[in-house]
Amino acid sequence: MISDRLFVYGTLMRGFDHPMAQLLSRSADFLGNATCRGRLYLIKHYPGLVLSDDAGDIVFGELYRLRDRDALLGEFDMYEACGEGFPEPTEYLRRMLTVTHADGTSGEVWTYVYNWPVAGLPQIASGKFLES
């Protein structure tokens, strides 16, 4: 099954005035807060998620149900500059990962994973971009 859910942890979250954040809030249903296993790094004015197997590495974000999944994922792929037509290696990759919902249940959803080296970049130790 291809998920219609998207986990966001940076500039697409509620409260950002970015046009793509506005597109998400208009075109998707906010399902609540969620977490995933990973490390968050401050790239520039935006974060990058690097997956981790360490249970202590938690990234906090928001979960959305995309109403028109394919069209919206296409838009977000363009925004994140990944997918067809972008030179490899792209800065981000769209991947499925397991997130944990606020009620403790979990599920497989889409997110964008950072794909370039993070050596020398500051880690957002709290896992919360809004606190960086």
Side-chain angles (χ1 to χ4, degrees):
M1 180 201 96
I2 305 225
S3 179
D4 63 353
R5 291 166 192 229
L6 180 68
F7 176 74
V8 298
Y9 54 84
T11 55
L12 294 176
M13 291 194 296
R14 294 179 305 166
F16 282 88
D17 199 26
H18 192 283
M20 293 307 283
Q22 293 171 357
L23 173 69
L24 181 61
S25 69
R26 268 198 318 273
S27 312
D29 303 312
F30 175 69
L31 299 177
N33 295 318
T35 58
C36 74
R37 200 169 281 187
R39 292 191 187 102
L40 212 51
Y41 290 89
L42 190 61
I43 312 304
K44 291 178 186 152
H45 57 282
Y46 55 89
L49 166 67
V50 176
L51 300 181
S52 169
D53 292 325
D54 187 329
D57 291 335
I58 302 289
V59 170
F60 295 82
E62 298 173 347
L63 192 60
Y64 289 85
R65 181 186 298 111
L66 305 176
R67 293 186 203 127
D68 184 350
R69 182 193 69 214
D70 294 344
L72 285 169
L73 288 176
E75 289 283 338
F76 294 123
D77 284 356
M78 292 295 289
Y79 172 60
E80 303 290 0
C82 68
E84 238 173 85
F86 289 98
E88 300 279 338
T90 54
E91 187 176 13
Y92 288 89
L93 299 171
R94 178 158 47 89
R95 291 285 180 261
M96 294 286 291
L97 86 165
T98 302
V99 297
T100 303
H101 309 267
D103 66 4
T105 61
S106 61
E108 292 280 309
V109 303
W110 290 111
T111 197
Y112 290 90
V113 176
Y114 194 68
N115 190 40
W116 288 354
V118 294
L121 293 173
Q123 185 176 347
I124 302 170
S126 68
K128 298 176 181 176
F129 175 57
L130 295 174
E131 293 179 4
S132 62

